[in-house]
Amino acid sequence: MAVGLGPLPTLHPVPGFELGIASAGIKRVGRKDVVVMRCAEGSTIAGVTTTNAFCAAPVLITRERLGGAVRYLLTNTGNANAGTGADGLANARRSCAALAALTGVAEDAILPFSTGVIGEPLPVEKIEAALPAALADLKEDNWALAAEGIMTTDTLPKGASRQFQHDGVTVTVTGISKGAGMIRPNMATMLGYIATDAKVAQPVLQDLVRDAANKSFNRITIDGDTSTNDCCMLIATGRAALPEVTEKAGELYAQLKQAVFEVFMEVAQAIVRDGEGATKFVTVQVNGGGNHQECLDVAYAVAHSPLIKTALFASDPNWGRILAAVGYAGVANLDVSLIDVFLGDVCIARQGGRAATYTEEQGAAVMAREEIAIRIELGRGDCSETIWTTDLSHEYVRINAEYRS
Amino acid sequence: MAVGLGPLPTLHPVPGFELGIASAGIKRVGRKDVVVMRCAEGSTIAGVTTTNAFCAAPVLITRERLGGAVRYLLTNTGNANAGTGADGLANARRSCAALAALTGVAEDAILPFSTGVIGEPLPVEKIEAALPAALADLKEDNWALAAEGIMTTDTLPKGASRQFQHDGVTVTVTGISKGAGMIRPNMATMLGYIATDAKVAQPVLQDLVRDAANKSFNRITIDGDTSTNDCCMLIATGRAALPEVTEKAGELYAQLKQAVFEVFMEVAQAIVRDGEGATKFVTVQVNGGGNHQECLDVAYAVAHSPLIKTALFASDPNWGRILAAVGYAGVANLDVSLIDVFLGDVCIARQGGRAATYTEEQGAAVMAREEIAIRIELGRGDCSETIWTTDLSHEYVRINAEYRS
């Protein structure tokens, strides 16, 4: 039921970044569920991880090791290794140690990632057994299979790619993501991996991943549930024959930032398009806020309201539910007489009440679309925020009543 | 699909408080949709109203008039008169003026209440036409019909009643409520009316309604959507032959408070039991918090998580989703290693991980019940909070995809 999400686009290889996929049989035999990524020596890496206090064991280890010289990223699906206590930490370290033994790199040059069911022991032997096959499969032109290898309840693989020219040199930014439920990223998404062959100093890369995630992964929500395993990693292999980016200025930085932001946005929005049970892709834009937080508060109140989400599923232009959500979003001293609300280009509410020009037919025409924009003008200031979400369908309930996440 | 909610209990008449019901045909011909309540001269009245900034026209008027000498409460269903701007205010005032003309009381002695679809003009002529029939129907023994008269998507009427003896005098507290969706009251519920024949000074009554609502209506949630029309009113007719309660002390005050709290709790919980599509009645108790707000933050994170709500619908003891919600509730410096979680009496998580003694069969046995208690021990302090909620079922989606609220 993915909305506006087709087959994977061309995913350009990133020189210095290889991916290998294997089947460990963690949850189901024969499913691709282990992905190893190798970064060329001298790569820099930066990342953001979940703010959930119950973060998974691999997240704790990845946080410790970020900033050091990272050479491998080891991902498994089918088991989140979250809520697993000391055993979970030991299992995550053990899987890294196994990969270190096979490759000869230091253990702390390996970052572990897990996604899948919460609270079950990680079947670490199965992962260990699959590592040689994953290593044998390592190649730069393997992004599409890796995008499949990190899927859980996703119905389609997700990826995006950009290239730009600088001083006659082609620079590539390619990324993949996964996630369809338990999605309200807060510093990152379920899992996202984006690599470039630009050479970027680590502090610059860290700012870039934080800023890009804030405008993309941290602006999507499916069910309001922030996951225990969110991680988003940005890797710079430095293989492009260009000077190192050491500060947030200059044309190369600007080009790189543009390409990174575009890839982040595309793979983040792909998660919403493939949201559990989604039949609509919904943009919620809040303008005229006195500050960014109040814009976000209003946008998330609208995006999380089960009443609005079910109305979106029913293609019902039920603007009263939108006004109600704006009203309870917690904005201090909200003057409702200044508020306009638009569905697409149709003004449905003007100065806090039904717009005189509005007809039910106009609203119904917008709601019948698969991609719907809700725009709220607060009339309080100059700040704006935009987030993306889905509707709430019968299929969402079926999936989550049947699937053990 | 109401959970544990049967026919109305006996609703004892409250001397000095009469109710009259009529059919105005606001949304559907023949449906009871107008209720007039008459308070004896000398009654005191106190109330709490929604914190939604987009509050309905009748809420604005009721707020203005609370504290004065109130004689009538006029309620209509089928139309919320919310998001209706200046016309909505004029219509609410006009319906009060019509009732004032028929009864000879001052216009500001009448409090208006509306519930139903948001954003449609109030059909005030239909309400005016129904007033004589409602007035002719006024009697003290009419609570059960009034409980039906205020229903919208409710499947059952909701009421509760208590009596106690003081100095040989019987004192009665009786109340009714309505609401099944757009329920996360914040100062009050959709609509609640509770009356007593005790004589209570207005400031004491105001504290009583606030305190009782805080422990009952303000601790329930179905979908997290705070309505535009929430109102809860407590009326004291003073007809019981007892001294006036003028301070929050003494045996009579204690008895009255106990009865009022019990009636509030019963009619508030009835709203959850009749929640849209509800198949479970869920108590979420958070103990060991450092303050009350963090207990509430954790409780509401659990109660609003669509993933937990669908797991409850599926009777799936998916404790990982509960840990995840606790983890993203926003509690500062949460030490997950101190947290225990119980399903009923079964410890499912101990010190932040799966309890060693826990078996899936134990969890499944609790989840199979219609009434489920989730208890979370934070291990940070002495504060506790308890709230009540429902599951998220296919029926919830069907109701809200089809019904225009």
Side-chain angles (χ1 to χ4, degrees):
Chain A
M1 299 173 71
V3 182
L5 192 64
L8 280 175
T10 299
L11 299 178
H12 303 291
V14 175
F17 193 77
E18 298 160 280
L19 311 95
I21 299 95
S23 295
I26 293 172
K27 197 171 172 187
R28 209 178 315 151
V29 174
R31 181 168 181 161
K32 300 182 194 84
D33 54 11
V34 167
V35 176
V36 171
M37 303 177 193
R38 175 159 65 193
C39 314
E41 213 161 344
S43 294
T44 48
I45 182 164
V48 285
T49 57
T50 184
T51 57
N52 193 312
F54 267 105
C55 66
V59 176
L60 292 171
I61 296 173
T62 286
R63 274 190 205 146
E64 278 174 18
R65 297 180 179 175
L66 263 177
V70 171
R71 294 297 310 283
Y72 287 90
L73 292 78
L74 169 57
T75 305
N76 73 272
T77 71
N79 185 306
N81 197 7
T84 46
D87 288 347
L89 270 174
N91 282 335
R93 289 190 198 284
R94 180 172 150 188
S95 65
C96 291
L99 185 55
L102 288 169
T103 59
V105 305
E107 217 181 298
D108 60 7
I110 297 171
L111 304 185
F113 304 89
S114 297
T115 179
V117 62
I118 296 175
E120 301 293 329
L122 186 74
V124 65
E125 300 83 359
K126 290 183 181 177
I127 296 172
E128 287 173 342
L131 290 178
L135 288 171
D137 189 47
L138 281 171
K139 43 184 172 284
E140 289 178 351
D141 193 12
N142 225 354
W143 282 94
L145 279 183
E148 282 180 38
I150 61 174
M151 286 166 59
T152 53
T153 58
D154 309 61
T155 68
L156 287 170
K158 300 164 183 69
S161 197
R162 294 289 186 281
Q163 290 188 317
F164 63 90
Q165 304 289 321
H166 186 87
D167 284 350
V169 176
T170 299
V171 177
T172 301
V173 179
T174 297
I176 56 176
S177 67
K178 65 83 51 182
M182 200 176 265
I183 298 290
R184 183 193 173 170
N186 198 343
M187 292 316 290
T189 182
M190 277 297 276
L191 292 177
Y193 304 97
I194 296 91
T196 178
D197 53 346
K199 189 169 180 61
V200 188
Q202 210 278 337
V204 176
L205 202 66
Q206 185 60 45
D207 282 0
L208 201 54
V209 70
R210 188 198 60 217
D211 294 348
N214 271 342
K215 289 291 175 198
S216 56
F217 292 115
N218 290 356
R219 293 292 180 275
I220 64 173
T221 184
I222 291 173
D223 42 26
D225 283 275
T226 301
S227 157
T228 49
N229 289 58
D230 291 347
C231 284
C232 175
M233 295 290 133
L234 176 60
I235 302 101
T237 65
R239 287 299 172 97
L242 287 169
E244 186 176 24
V245 179
T246 55
E247 52 175 4
K248 296 193 280 180
E251 194 199 342
L252 176 55
Y253 172 75
Q255 288 177 300
L256 179 66
K257 181 178 173 181
Q258 175 74 18
V260 165
F261 270 55
E262 286 180 19
V263 170
F264 268 64
M265 191 64 91
E266 193 169 328
V267 293
Q269 290 189 356
I271 290 175
V272 177
R273 292 179 184 282
D274 197 21
E276 288 171 347
T279 73
K280 306 279 184 181
F281 177 78
V282 185
T283 302
V284 184
Q285 184 179 10
V286 179
N287 297 330
N291 57 60
H292 287 278
Q293 191 56 51
E294 69 185 32
C295 293
L296 288 173
D297 290 344
V298 169
Y300 280 113
V302 170
H304 290 150
S305 160
L307 293 174
I308 295 173
K309 289 174 109 72
T310 46
L312 285 162
F313 170 55
S315 298
D316 176 9
N318 194 322
W319 59 275
R321 294 182 182 175
I322 299 174
L323 288 194
V326 174
Y328 69 68
V331 177
N333 306 313
L334 184 66
D335 181 350
V336 300
S337 74
L338 299 176
I339 295 177
D340 298 340
V341 181
F342 293 78
L343 261 185
D345 290 333
V346 176
C347 181
I348 56 175
R350 177 82 70 190
Q351 297 178 333
R354 185 189 178 119
T357 54
Y358 175 69
T359 65
E360 187 84 2
E361 290 67 36
Q362 292 175 320
V366 176
M367 289 295 269
R369 298 178 197 151
E370 276 197 339
E371 308 215 0
I372 296 170
I374 299 171
R375 177 159 62 89
I376 297 152
E377 299 282 345
L378 294 177
R380 293 160 60 89
D382 295 327
C383 291
S384 292
E385 284 286 351
T386 302
I387 69 171
W388 295 272
T389 191
T390 58
D391 56 335
L392 172 58
S393 67
H394 288 298
E395 189 66 6
Y396 178 88
V397 175
R398 191 193 62 71
I399 292 168
N400 283 297
E402 290 178 6
Y403 175 76
R404 175 65 73 94
S405 71
Chain B
M1 300 172 68
V3 183
L5 192 64
L8 281 173
T10 300
L11 299 178
H12 304 289
V14 175
F17 193 78
E18 299 160 282
L19 312 95
I21 300 94
S23 294
I26 293 171
K27 197 171 172 188
R28 210 178 314 150
V29 175
R31 181 167 181 162
K32 299 183 195 86
D33 53 11
V34 167
V35 176
V36 171
M37 302 178 193
R38 176 159 65 193
C39 315
E41 212 160 345
S43 294
T44 48
I45 182 165
V48 285
T49 58
T50 183
T51 56
N52 193 312
F54 267 107
C55 66
V59 176
L60 292 171
I61 297 173
T62 285
R63 274 189 206 150
E64 278 173 19
R65 296 179 179 175
L66 263 178
V70 171
R71 295 298 310 282
Y72 288 90
L73 293 78
L74 168 57
T75 305
N76 73 272
T77 70
N79 185 305
N81 196 9
T84 47
D87 288 349
L89 270 174
N91 283 335
R93 289 190 198 284
R94 183 173 148 187
S95 65
C96 292
L99 185 55
L102 288 169
T103 58
V105 304
E107 219 180 296
D108 60 8
I110 297 170
L111 304 186
F113 304 88
S114 297
T115 180
V117 62
I118 296 174
E120 300 293 328
L122 186 74
V124 65
E125 302 82 358
K126 289 184 181 176
I127 296 171
E128 286 173 344
L131 291 178
L135 289 171
D137 189 48
L138 281 171
K139 42 186 175 282
E140 290 177 350
D141 192 12
N142 225 353
W143 282 94
L145 279 182
E148 283 179 38
I150 60 174
M151 286 165 59
T152 53
T153 57
D154 309 62
T155 68
L156 288 171
K158 300 164 184 68
S161 197
R162 294 288 187 281
Q163 290 189 317
F164 64 89
Q165 305 289 321
H166 185 89
D167 285 351
V169 176
T170 300
V171 178
T172 300
V173 179
T174 297
I176 57 176
S177 66
K178 66 82 53 181
M182 200 176 266
I183 298 289
R184 183 190 172 171
N186 197 344
M187 291 316 290
T189 184
M190 276 297 277
L191 292 175
Y193 305 97
I194 295 91
T196 177
D197 54 347
K199 189 168 180 64
V200 188
Q202 209 278 335
V204 176
L205 202 65
Q206 186 60 45
D207 283 0
L208 200 53
V209 71
R210 189 198 58 218
D211 293 348
N214 271 342
K215 288 291 174 199
S216 56
F217 292 117
N218 290 356
R219 293 292 180 275
I220 64 174
T221 184
I222 291 174
D223 42 24
D225 282 276
T226 302
S227 157
T228 51
N229 288 59
D230 290 347
C231 284
C232 175
M233 296 290 134
L234 176 61
I235 302 101
T237 66
R239 287 301 171 94
L242 287 169
E244 184 175 25
V245 179
T246 55
E247 53 176 3
K248 296 192 280 181
E251 192 198 343
L252 176 55
Y253 172 75
Q255 288 176 300
L256 179 66
K257 181 179 173 182
Q258 174 74 16
V260 165
F261 270 55
E262 286 181 17
V263 170
F264 268 63
M265 191 63 90
E266 191 168 331
V267 294
Q269 291 189 353
I271 289 175
V272 177
R273 292 179 182 281
D274 198 22
E276 288 171 349
T279 72
K280 306 279 184 181
F281 177 79
V282 185
T283 302
V284 184
Q285 184 179 9
V286 179
N287 296 330
N291 57 61
H292 288 279
Q293 191 55 52
E294 69 184 32
C295 293
L296 287 173
D297 290 344
V298 168
Y300 280 114
V302 169
H304 289 151
S305 161
L307 294 175
I308 295 173
K309 288 172 108 73
T310 46
L312 285 162
F313 170 53
S315 298
D316 175 10
N318 195 321
W319 59 274
R321 294 182 182 175
I322 299 174
L323 288 194
V326 174
Y328 69 69
V331 175
N333 305 315
L334 185 65
D335 181 350
V336 301
S337 73
L338 298 177
I339 295 177
D340 297 339
V341 181
F342 294 77
L343 262 185
D345 290 332
V346 176
C347 181
I348 56 176
R350 177 83 69 189
Q351 298 179 332
R354 184 188 179 121
T357 53
Y358 176 67
T359 65
E360 187 83 2
E361 292 64 39
Q362 292 174 323
V366 176
M367 289 297 267
R369 298 178 196 150
E370 277 197 340
E371 309 214 359
I372 295 171
I374 298 171
R375 177 159 62 88
I376 296 151
E377 300 282 345
L378 295 177
R380 292 161 60 89
D382 295 327
C383 290
S384 292
E385 284 287 350
T386 302
I387 69 172
W388 296 273
T389 192
T390 58
D391 57 336
L392 172 57
S393 67
H394 287 298
E395 188 68 4
Y396 178 89
V397 176
R398 193 193 60 72
I399 292 168
N400 283 298
E402 291 178 4
Y403 175 77
R404 174 65 74 96
S405 70

